[in-house]
């Protein structure tokens, strides 16, 4: 109304509710409902006073409605007759001739603005005299029109904008603001649609017989009737809970169901006119208690649809299936008649007319058998044959039983009504007990069901394919004989069988293809608008004959998405005959090479048989040919989010591939073979506190989780991040359970599957991994009564932080990992793995306490994973491989080196077991000259980690100290900039202060800028040290020649082989020159590596099955592998006399996408 008054380019019509359609125009005013009276007042104001007055009536009624809403309790009727009179009178006084707000444009039209008092006008309205003579008749006609269009078939109100329906749920609390929201959203949506039509030249000012509204309706594929149970409304505005409508489910129709229907008649289906020999795209099964009034009325509406009363029905066929309330009762005459009509073998084109006349009979409830036979004869049926069928009690009982069985198979109880269209089961609400005949569907609704089956359920496409196959000789042709109408129509039988194929295909596609995206129509229109001779190419499918499928693809040809999509389209062309039209959408200006990798997507490759058909699939593989021989390449895997994949066989360095340096075979070019395997599937999820009082408390960060299966409750562990409440666990297919870890997590929280409070406090939730897609779970927890104010990370009275984490004091609730020195490290490429071995030897030579090394497994080569257990056995240290999959919600790096840097800092709280207290990070290219126990025992003064500041005594490098100038100088505010080659992490404090969550939040914000975090592992902790405190280690803990100079070298406890931007000296030359002991350590490592490789080669020849893993974190839950008591913190520390097994699993090679990235690295020098 406001839009009309403000002059928007719209027009407004108000259709009365359904109750008005039943009103008697001749009835006294007092007997009409307030809805009817309000409609009459509105129509009278429109006719007598004009548009603005009508709008004022609506505004007045709405204002009175708002007053009613403020009352308590709210009455059942929003408006009363007195309020309608008040609104009409007030508007008449304002807008009648001489009124204060009379419209100037109406002043010359004396007959439009009656010169009478408001009280007199109200009397005329009540009496239906003078200007109101035809008002009530017009209102009733408008209500009947609304009913015809389906606008009154549900308890909802509607806003129809150019035919696009927005349903509004009924509510006595519905405010004008919500109505405005619905209406304005509808206007915006329609304006966008109309603008699009105008832009593409589809909407133009046409002749009078083609007004703009009709053009819009034609372009949008409008339906002649609205029924939200069949065609849902297009509104995107949510105004509250929608009332229940008739529920529907989509099923895949089975062959048994089709045969059961076929057994109900010869044939059982009713067709419009003479179309029974056509293949039908829509098949309707009308299931109802046909002996009841409601069932007979529903059957009549289906027959009226077939008779053409709701438009063209030639794409449909209908079968009537009786579902009596009492299956054991004797069928009524009507039930027997409908059954006999469907079993009548001849003159079937006349059955629809007969059934329509029968079901419209005024005395249907008391009709006699003789009357039925006379009606059959007058309708042109074979009266004798029909009489025989009607009297065949045994055949009738058989058909009756089959109908009841079929109804149960469709999931319908006795007496229930439903219409099943191409497998879509639309359950109908019964009006049993209501006076008169009622049907929840009318003939127009069957037309909507046909329209939905043809387009939304792919019926037209399925019918076209069957027809094409028939014409191509791939299906048996119908048998055609010149037979009389009284004989069995063989062609009709064959058409029924072909229509059965259509309904099967349609129902399967509709069941498994998902809900159609409403944007697809607009996208198709956009494709049609593109030029057909520029920037596109059509690739025909590789099938002969008809094209079963077509794809239109809009892509940037030089994009990663195009790399992935191309092999998939090729596969579909080859095996499914897909015709592909590619529309090129390249970036017009490039500042850099958009693609820097060769990419292969691993899709099934089938072995071709001698006759040219496809045989079994080959093993999954990606093949790269004709790669540059001198360029340094890196081989990466691009796999699904739920997969953890590792390389298990590769002779060359996959991080520094230079193909020209590979061994030259006797024939052909150098080649490399690498195998990868799927190591684990991810069990990920989101943990939320359903009883949280504030938004910040919804994600219970710090809650510790275990994952196990069977009696082994603790096979994996992790903690919940504050970031989205995310958690991640590694698992394998099977039944798992996620547990709250004993201690503080169990003391404060319990698991609530439905989000509600429970008297019993379960501490676990099941998680079934039954596919290669892993598993995502929503873990709902709730705080125990009395614990609502407590924090899982806050120590309780008399407890240490360690006691907080594990539910006891630090004196031994669980075995603690901090009795040893724990060092974690990461290396990628053979060069850095060589340096890593030297670093390990230097640690072991100087550290008296037993050492445990933690290796980030993601980037270890197969050779290094095979070597570490042997080295651990020989040099008597413990080890463990750890890994963590980058979460999908966290901005991901694309360069491998930056990903490795990120792993050094972003996942420290979840990378290690929960009972690990402190760990030291060492770069692979360091040499240790001190006992690392001193660093492990160092007090960090409450900081979560400690780093060494960069040296400043080598003045030659002043120009490279970026932290002393510009942004970094102002940001650090006097704090030092630290180097990340060595640092120590207090995991207790790190987890208790949620340092990992803070680092990830800040990283996610900064990393989206490609110019930010240039040295990610260093820049991030230094940038965040105002939020996450850094303890600055004494300078002697890390020395490197580049920044420190030689004056402080003698005090160095560790030496890092930093790159020198001035000299760019190769790292190995740098090591030999700077570190005196380095050559000896290097030679020792190389000699021992040669021995291990020889032993492994010998074992691989003599033992066909590889040994199992030594790592508890890798230990499989399979029965043949070692059991690990992770709850007590056990791991494997290999002694010299212990045997060990190498982690070469027998899993199959993983199927994924392999990319070979161009990397301008420096090989061994970098």
């Amino acid at each position: 109304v406001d839009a009309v008054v403000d002059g928007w380019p719209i027009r407004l019509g108000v259709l009365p509710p359904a109750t008005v359609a039943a009103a008697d125009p001749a009835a006294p005013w007092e007997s009409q409902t307030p809805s009817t009276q309000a409609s009459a007042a509105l129509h009278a104001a429109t006719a007598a006073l004009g548009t603005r007055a009508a709008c004022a009536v609506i505004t007045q009624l709405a204002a009175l409605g708002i007053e009613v809403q403020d009352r308590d309790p709210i009455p059942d009727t929003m408006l009363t007759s007195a309020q309608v009179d008040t609104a009409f009178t007030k508007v008449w006084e304002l807008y009648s001739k001489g009124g204060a707000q009379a419209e100037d444009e109406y002043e010359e039209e004396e007959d439009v603005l009656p010169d009478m008092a408001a009280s007199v006008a109200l009397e005329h309205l009540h009496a239906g005299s003078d200007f109101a003579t035809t008002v009530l008749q017009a209102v009733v006609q408008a209500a009947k029109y609304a009913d015809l269009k389906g606008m009154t078939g549900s308890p909802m109100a509607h806003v129809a904008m150019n035919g696009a329906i927005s349903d509004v749920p009924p509510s006595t609390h519905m405010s004008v603001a919500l109505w405005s929201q619905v209406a304005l959203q509808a206007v915006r949506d329609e304006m966008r649609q109309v603008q699009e039509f105008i832009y593409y030249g589809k909407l133009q000012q046409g002749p009078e017989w083609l007004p703009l509204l009709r053009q819009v309706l034609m372009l949008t594929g409008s339906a002649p009737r609205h029924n939200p149970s069949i065609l849902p409304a297009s509104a995107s505005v949510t105004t509250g809970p929608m009332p229940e409508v008739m529920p529907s489910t989509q099923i895949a129709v089975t062959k048994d169901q089709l045969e059961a229907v076929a057994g109900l008649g010869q044939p059982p289906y009713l067709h419009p006119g003479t179309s029974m020999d056509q293949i039908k795209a829509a098949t309707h099964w009308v299931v109802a208690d046909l002996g009841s009034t409601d069932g007979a009325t529903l059957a009549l509406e289906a027959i009226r649809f077939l008779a053409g009363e709701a438009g063209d029905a030639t794409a449909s066929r209908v079968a009537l299936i009786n579902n009596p309330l009492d299956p054991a009762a004797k069928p009524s005459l009507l039930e027997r008649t409908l059954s006999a009509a469907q079993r009548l073998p001849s003159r079937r084109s006349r059955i629809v007319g007969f059934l329509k006349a029968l079901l419209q009979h005024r005395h249907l409830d008391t009709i006699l058998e003789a009357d039925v036979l006379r009606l059959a004869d007058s309708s042109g049926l074979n009266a004798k044959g029909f009489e025989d069928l009607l009297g065949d009690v045994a055949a009738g009982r058989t058909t009756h039983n089959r109908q009841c069985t079929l109804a149960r198979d469709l999931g319908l109880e006795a007496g229930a009504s439903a219409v099943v269209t191409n497998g879509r089961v639309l359950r109908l609400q019964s009006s049993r007990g209501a006076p008169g005949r009622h049907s929840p569907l009318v003939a127009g609704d069957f037309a909507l069901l046909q329209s939905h089956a043809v387009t939304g359920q792919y019926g037209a496409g399925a019918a076209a394919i069957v027809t094409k196959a028939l014409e191509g000789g791939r299906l048996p042709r119908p048998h055609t004989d010149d037979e009389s109408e009284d004989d069995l129509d063989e062609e009709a039988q064959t058409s029924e069988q072909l229509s059965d194929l259509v309904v099967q295909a349609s129902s399967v596609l509709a069941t498994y293809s998902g809900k159609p995206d409403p944007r697809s129509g607009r996208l198709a229109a956009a494709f049609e608008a593109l030029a057909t001779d520029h920037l596109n190419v059509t690739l025909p499918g590789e099938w002969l004959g008809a094209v079963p499928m077509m794809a239109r693809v809009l892509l940037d040809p030089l994009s990663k998405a195009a790399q992935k999509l191309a092999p998939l389209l090729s596969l579909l062309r080859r095996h499914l005959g897909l015709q592909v039209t590619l529309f090129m959408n390249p970036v017009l200006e490039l500042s850099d090479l958009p693609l820097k990798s060769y990419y292969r997507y691993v899709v099934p490759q089938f072995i071709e048989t001698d006759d040219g058909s496809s045989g079994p699939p080959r093993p999954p593989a990606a093949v790269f040919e004709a790669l540059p021989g001198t360029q340094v390449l890196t081989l990466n895997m691009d796999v699904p989010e739920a997969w953890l994949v590792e390389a298990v066989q590769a002779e060359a360095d996959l991080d520094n591939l230079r193909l020209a340096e590979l061994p030259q075979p006797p024939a052909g070019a150098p080649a490399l073979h690498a195998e990868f395997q799927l190591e684990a599937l991810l069990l990920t999820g989101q943990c939320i506190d359903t009883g949280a009082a504030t938004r910040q408390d919804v994600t219970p960060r710090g809650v510790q989780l275990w994952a196990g299966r069977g009696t082994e409750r603790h096979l994996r562990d992790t903690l919940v991040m504050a970031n989205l409440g995310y958690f991640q666990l590694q698992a394998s297919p099977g039944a798992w359970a996620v547990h709250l870890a004993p201690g503080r997590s169990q003391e404060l929280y319990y698991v609530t599957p439905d989000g509600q409070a429970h008297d019993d406090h379960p501490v676990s939730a099941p998680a079934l991994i039954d596919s290669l897609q892993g598993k995502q779970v929503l873990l709902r927890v709730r705080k125990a009564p009395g614990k609502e104010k407590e924090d899982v990370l806050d120590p309780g009275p008399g407890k240490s932080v360690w006691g907080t984490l594990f539910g006891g004091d630090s004196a031994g609730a669980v075995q603690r990992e901090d009795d040893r020195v724990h060092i974690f490290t990461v290396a990628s490429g053979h060069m850095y793995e060589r340096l890593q071995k030297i670093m390990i030897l230097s640690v072991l030579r100087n550290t008296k306490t037993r050492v445990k090394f933690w290796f980030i497994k993601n980037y270890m080569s197969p050779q290094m994973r095979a070597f570490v257990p042997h080295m651990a056995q020989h040099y008597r240290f413990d080890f463990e491989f750890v890994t963590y999959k980058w979460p999908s919600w966290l901005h991901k790096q694309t360069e491998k080196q930056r990903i490795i840097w990120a792993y050094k800092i972003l996942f420290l709280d979840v990378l290690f077991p929960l009972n690990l207290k402190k760990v030291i990070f060492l770069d692979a290219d360091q040499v240790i000259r001190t006992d690392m126990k001193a660093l492990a025992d160092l007090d960090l003064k409450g900081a979560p980690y400690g780093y060494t500041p960069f040296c400043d005594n080598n003045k030659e490098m002043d120009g490279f100290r970026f932290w002393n100038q510009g942004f970094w100088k102002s940001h650090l505010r006097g704090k030092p900039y630290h180097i990340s080659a060595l640092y120590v992490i207090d995991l207790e404090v790190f987890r208790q202060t949620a340092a990992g969550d803070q680092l990830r939040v800040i990283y996610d914000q900064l990393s989206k800028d490609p110019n930010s975090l240039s040295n990610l592992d260093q820049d991030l902790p230094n940038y965040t040290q105002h939020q996450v405190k850094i303890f600055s280690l004494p300078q002697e803990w890390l020395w490197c020649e580049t920044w420190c100079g030689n004056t402080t070298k003698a005090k160095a406890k560790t030496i890092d082989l930093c790159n020198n931007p001035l000299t760019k000296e190769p790292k190995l030359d740098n090591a030999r020159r700077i570190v005196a002991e380095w050559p000896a350590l290097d030679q020792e490592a190389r000699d021992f590596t040669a021995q291990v490789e020889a032993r492994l080669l010998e074992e691989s020849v003599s033992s066909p099955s590889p040994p199992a893993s030594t790592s508890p974190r890798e230990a499989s839950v399979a029965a043949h592998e070692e059991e690990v008591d992770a709850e007590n913190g056990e791991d494997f520390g290999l002694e010299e006399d212990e045997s060990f097994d190498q982690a070469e699993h027998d899993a199959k090679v993983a199927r994924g996408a392999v990319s070979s990235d161009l990397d301008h690295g420096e090989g061994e020098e970098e």
Side-chain angles (χ1 to χ4, degrees), residues 602-607 616-623 1149-1151:
V602 180
V603 295
Q605 300 293 330
F606 297 92
I607 300 174
R618 295 187 177 94
V623 179
V1149 176
R1151 286 175 59 183

Side-chain angles (χ1 to χ4, degrees), residues 59-69 78-79 83-84 86-87:
T59 303
Q60 289 291 327
L61 294 175
L64 292 171
I66 292 175
E67 293 178 4
V68 172
Q69 290 179 37
M78 293 290 290
L79 295 174
Q83 290 170 329
V84 173
T86 299

Side-chain angles (χ1 to χ4, degrees), residues 815-823 847 849-852 854 877-880 915-916 918-919 933 936-937 1129-1133:
Q815 176 184 342
R816 290 169 50 174
E817 288 275 11
D818 57 318
D819 295 333
R820 294 165 290 183
V821 174
H822 294 269
I823 296 173
T847 303
T849 308
R850 191 174 181 91
V851 179
K852 180 172 182 178
W854 301 80
F877 66 84
D878 304 329
F879 74 97
E880 197 164 318
N915 59 343
L916 181 59
K918 219 168 193 180
V919 67
K933 178 67 172 173
D937 292 340
E1130 291 185 9
D1131 57 26
F1132 291 89

Side-chain angles (χ1 to χ4, degrees), residues 145 149 161-164 190 197 203 210-224:
Y145 175 81
K149 290 299 179 182
M161 185 65 62
N162 280 358
E190 191 60 24
F197 288 152
L203 189 63
L210 190 61
L212 290 176
L213 176 59
R214 183 173 297 179
Q215 293 183 57
V216 172
L217 296 177
M218 292 171 61
L219 289 170
T220 53
S222 62

Side-chain angles (χ1 to χ4, degrees), residues 113 209 293 397 637 689 710 747 781-782 840 977 1038 1094:
L113 294 173
W209 59 269
T293 302
R397 171 54 65 179
M637 292 287 289
D689 182 354
E747 290 176 7
V781 298
R782 205 175 176 93
I840 293 172
Y977 186 88
L1038 192 145

Side-chain angles (χ1 to χ4, degrees), residues 193 196-197 200 202 219 516-531 550-555 565 581 583 585:
Q193 179 70 82
E196 184 177 311
F197 288 152
Y200 288 114
K202 295 184 176 182
L219 289 170
D517 190 332
R519 296 172 297 178
S520 60
R522 297 185 180 183
L523 187 60
F527 276 128
E528 292 291 344
L530 293 176
M550 178 178 66
R552 291 169 171 172
V553 183
L554 180 71
L555 51 74
L565 192 58
T581 300
F583 293 87
N585 185 32

Side-chain angles (χ1 to χ4, degrees), residues 810-999:
S810 58
V814 295
Q815 176 184 342
R816 290 169 50 174
E817 288 275 11
D818 57 318
D819 295 333
R820 294 165 290 183
V821 174
H822 294 269
I823 296 173
F824 90 94
T825 181
V826 59
S828 179
H830 289 187
M831 156 72 171
Y832 274 88
E833 288 176 346
R834 174 183 174 183
L835 296 172
Q836 191 177 59
K837 297 172 187 176
I838 296 170
M839 181 270 291
I840 293 172
L841 290 177
S842 68
V843 169
L844 297 175
R845 284 194 175 185
N846 293 281
T847 303
K848 305 302 185 241
T849 308
R850 191 174 181 91
V851 179
K852 180 172 182 178
F853 286 95
W854 301 80
F855 297 90
I856 297 183
K857 189 180 181 182
N858 303 42
Y859 301 102
M860 295 179 71
S861 69
Q863 293 89 337
M864 189 64 180
R865 283 199 306 273
F867 173 80
V868 167
H870 292 266
M871 189 176 189
Q873 180 185 22
H874 183 77
Y875 289 99
R876 304 187 65 179
F877 66 84
D878 304 329
F879 74 97
E880 197 164 318
F881 297 143
V882 292
T883 186
Y884 197 82
K885 185 67 179 285
W886 195 288
S888 59
W889 49 266
L890 189 65
H891 181 72
K892 191 172 184 178
Q893 297 294 321
T894 56
E895 296 180 14
K896 190 170 186 177
Q897 184 58 56
R898 291 181 61 81
I899 295 175
I900 294 173
W901 287 345
Y903 269 95
K904 291 171 56 177
I905 187 64
L906 285 180
F907 309 115
L908 295 175
D909 50 346
V910 291
L911 191 61
F912 303 103
L914 297 177
N915 59 343
L916 181 59
K917 180 179 179 182
K918 219 168 193 180
V919 67
I920 300 168
F921 174 80
L922 291 179
D923 256 354
D925 60 349
Q926 281 189 289
V927 177
I928 309 304
R929 289 182 164 182
T930 190
D931 191 331
M932 297 303 292
K933 178 67 172 173
L935 182 56
D937 292 340
L938 189 65
D939 184 4
L940 301 183
K941 308 298 183 183
Y945 41 41
Y947 286 76
T948 306
F950 267 88
C951 300
D952 58 2
N953 53 329
N954 187 357
K955 300 306 179 182
E956 295 180 356
M957 303 303 297
D958 283 352
F960 294 94
R961 290 186 172 91
F962 57 85
W963 54 88
N964 288 335
Q965 53 190 323
F967 164 80
W968 277 106
K969 182 178 181 179
S970 61
H971 178 77
L972 291 174
R973 300 198 297 271
K975 292 182 179 293
Y977 186 88
H978 303 81
I979 189 169
S980 64
L982 173 148
Y983 50 96
V984 57
I985 309 103
D986 187 332
L987 291 172
E988 270 190 346
V989 178
F990 193 91
R991 289 167 175 150
Q992 190 228 1
T993 57
D997 294 319
Q998 298 180 67
L999 288 169

Side-chain angles (χ1 to χ4, degrees), residues 3 8 10 159 161 182-192:
W8 284 32
I10 65 173
V159 173
M161 185 65 62
V182 174
L184 291 177
Q185 184 64 48
V187 171
R188 294 189 187 101
D189 292 343
E190 191 60 24
M191 289 296 289
R192 283 194 293 266

